[in-house]
Amino acid sequence: MTTPSLKARLARPEILVAPGVYDALTALLAEQAGMQALYLSGASIAYTRLGRSDVGLTTFTEVQQTLEQIADRVSVPVIVDADTGFGNAINVLRTVRGLERAGAAMIQIEDQSFPKRCGHLDGKGVVPVAEMCGKLRAALDARHHDGTLVMARTDAVAVEGVDAAFERAERYLECGVDALFIEALRTPEQMDAACARFGARVPLLANMVEGGKTPVQNARALQARGFRIAIFPGATVRVVARTLQDYFADLAQAGGTAAWRDRMLDFDGLNRTIGTPELLERGRRYES
């Protein structure tokens, strides 16, 4: 069955849930679980590739390379966190072209100033509206395919207040973006206000960060409010990190993995999951 384009999927009434992924394996497991889209989290790339916080340390090249590996392994659409576009409007041109070639279905650009940081950390700054609009126009111009979508994110709630954030979102929508992301809404009332103003006009994204600023809800509740996309960007790496803390602590103490055998895939199980038998069979077709 052919995977529908992200644009076609967003035309459906039901909310789109996109889990956060950070490499080809997490993307593959999410696809196998039946997820219809994925979110390549910039924060999770920082956590896993660098072992560092999401404070603007990751580069365009690291995001592009990660996306290429994911897009080569799965067929579901990938929404890509492109941070600030990695520079000014000229940088955004390169970023969008490169991520589109690498397989992005939607590219997210935010209005933070540099150094940027996770949307749920304090101390953020935002660039002037005119500068962000220039970046968004550059992003839209850089696309080679109409099916590549551009999402505008504003972090202004924490910096200028919710009313100013909504005004920024209006300006970004006027640029022609395909979706909006108003980061770190603080209360259910703010979430409802955002949906009342924008939800019927453009796909609006809800960012669910466990322990973050926005009240965490499930997809059904978010759809009822008026959101069209729900991402859980960091949950995957938090689950992995918590599990590995327990595993490594037990291994250090016990010196073996016996206590974990029923909580892991064995050698053959992992190979079945990643398609090793099919890959080897395909290779045999080319043997002389």
Side-chain angles (χ1 to χ4, degrees):
M1 183 175 65
T2 303
T3 302
S5 70
L6 185 58
K7 182 181 290 188
R9 175 58 185 80
L10 289 174
R12 299 178 185 174
E14 65 270 22
I15 193 169
L16 177 64
V17 178
V21 299
Y22 54 82
D23 62 10
L25 179 60
T26 53
L28 177 64
L29 294 173
E31 182 184 52
Q32 289 175 344
M35 305 309 302
Q36 298 180 13
L38 307 174
Y39 182 83
L40 179 52
S41 163
S44 293
I45 293 175
Y47 301 153
T48 57
R49 290 191 63 156
L50 307 180
R52 298 287 186 181
S53 304
D54 180 20
V55 290
L57 299 176
T58 53
T59 65
F60 161 68
T61 303
E62 289 167 332
V63 176
Q64 182 187 40
Q65 289 173 345
T66 304
L67 175 61
E68 286 175 340
Q69 293 163 351
I70 290 172
D72 185 59
R73 193 66 186 90
V74 302
S75 60
V76 292
V78 182
I79 302 168
V80 182
D81 177 4
D83 288 344
T84 63
F86 304 101
N88 60 19
I90 295 174
N91 296 98
V92 169
L93 290 171
R94 178 173 184 252
T95 295
V96 170
R97 288 170 182 161
L99 295 180
E100 184 182 51
R101 286 194 302 271
M106 177 185 279
I107 300 166
Q108 169 195 313
I109 306 290
E110 67 193 41
D111 60 5
Q112 281 198 52
S113 55
F114 196 83
K116 62 89 57 188
R117 60 184 65 199
C118 172
H120 291 256
L121 289 175
D122 294 328
K124 297 183 293 183
V126 291
V127 300
V129 173
E131 179 179 342
M132 179 60 174
C133 287
K135 288 187 177 186
L136 293 175
R137 291 195 300 272
L140 294 165
D141 286 346
R143 300 179 298 180
H144 287 289
H145 307 288
D146 291 340
T148 304
L149 308 182
V150 172
M151 175 163 56
R153 163 176 151 176
T154 180
D155 285 73
V157 171
V159 182
E160 301 173 340
V162 68
D163 291 337
F166 287 177
E167 288 305 313
R168 280 177 173 263
E170 288 283 5
R171 293 287 303 279
Y172 303 163
L173 190 57
E174 290 171 1
C175 293
V177 297
D178 304 288
L180 285 176
F181 175 0
I182 302 173
E183 174 65 297
L185 294 165
R186 298 297 203 267
T187 64
E189 290 75 21
Q190 289 184 357
M191 297 169 76
D192 288 341
C195 290
R197 184 161 178 173
F198 300 104
R201 300 158 59 193
V202 66
L204 193 62
L205 180 144
N207 183 19
M208 298 290 97
V209 177
E210 298 79 9
K213 307 290 188 183
T214 303
V216 176
Q217 302 167 21
N218 64 26
R220 182 177 301 175
L222 293 170
Q223 178 173 318
R225 291 191 182 280
F227 290 100
R228 302 266 295 283
I229 308 170
I231 60 171
F232 295 79
T236 302
V237 72
R238 280 192 283 276
V239 168
V240 169
R242 183 68 181 88
T243 302
L244 288 178
Q245 282 180 331
D246 291 343
Y247 166 70
F248 288 133
D250 192 67
L251 180 61
Q253 181 178 13
T257 60
W260 286 80
R261 291 296 296 274
D262 63 347
R263 286 180 280 175
M264 67 167 68
L265 295 172
D266 65 11
F267 181 77
D268 290 336
L270 179 58
N271 278 299
R272 285 193 298 270
T273 297
I274 62 177
T276 301
E278 294 82 1
L279 185 64
L280 294 177
E281 176 59 31
R282 186 176 185 181
R284 280 190 284 271
R285 300 177 193 173
Y286 300 103
E287 293 177 357
S288 56

